Amino acid sequence: MSIKKKALTNAEKQKRYRERQKDRGKKEMRGYLSPEAQKCYELIAEQTKWNDSIILSNAVRLTYAAYKNGQIGLLNSWLNKNEL
């Protein structure tokens, strides 16, 4: 008799994917953070006591404000210059 492998459910596949991302040192926050971004996230969370949703919301709002004020290039160059 041959033993058949049980097919993985979608939930099991998603769980394995999340575990692989964690093993690579990434943190899930509606996506996966690079190690540099994770350091920034930890500093912000520690100093402000904000949760993930507030940090993400404010990050998007600040990025949008920089874009609307023609400062997105300046923001991006500062991030690259400071290796963040």
Side-chain angles (χ1 to χ4, degrees):
M1 279 196 204
S2 64
I3 299 173
K4 287 187 177 182
K5 259 183 140 177
K6 182 181 171 188
L8 295 175
T9 65
N10 282 341
E12 291 168 326
K13 290 177 187 175
Q14 290 171 356
K15 183 178 179 184
R16 286 180 56 195
Y17 176 76
R18 288 191 301 270
E19 290 170 351
R20 283 194 310 268
Q21 293 301 325
K22 278 186 182 179
D23 291 343
R24 292 180 183 153
K26 295 185 178 181
K27 177 172 173 50
E28 184 177 5
M29 191 173 80
R30 294 182 179 87
Y32 290 92
L33 298 177
S34 68
E36 298 85 5
Q38 189 170 342
K39 287 177 191 173
C40 295
Y41 166 80
E42 289 167 358
L43 288 170
I44 291 168
E46 180 182 303
Q47 292 179 11
T48 63
K49 307 295 185 219
W50 292 344
N51 62 28
D52 290 353
S53 295
I54 293 171
I55 292 171
L56 180 60
S57 178
N58 286 340
V60 170
R61 292 171 63 222
L62 288 167
T63 303
Y64 180 74
Y67 166 74
K68 288 301 283 185
N69 287 289
Q71 300 299 315
I72 199 75
L74 179 65
L75 175 61
N76 193 47
S77 68
W78 186 90
L79 290 169
N80 290 332
K81 179 181 170 187
N82 290 281
E83 298 178 358
L84 295 173

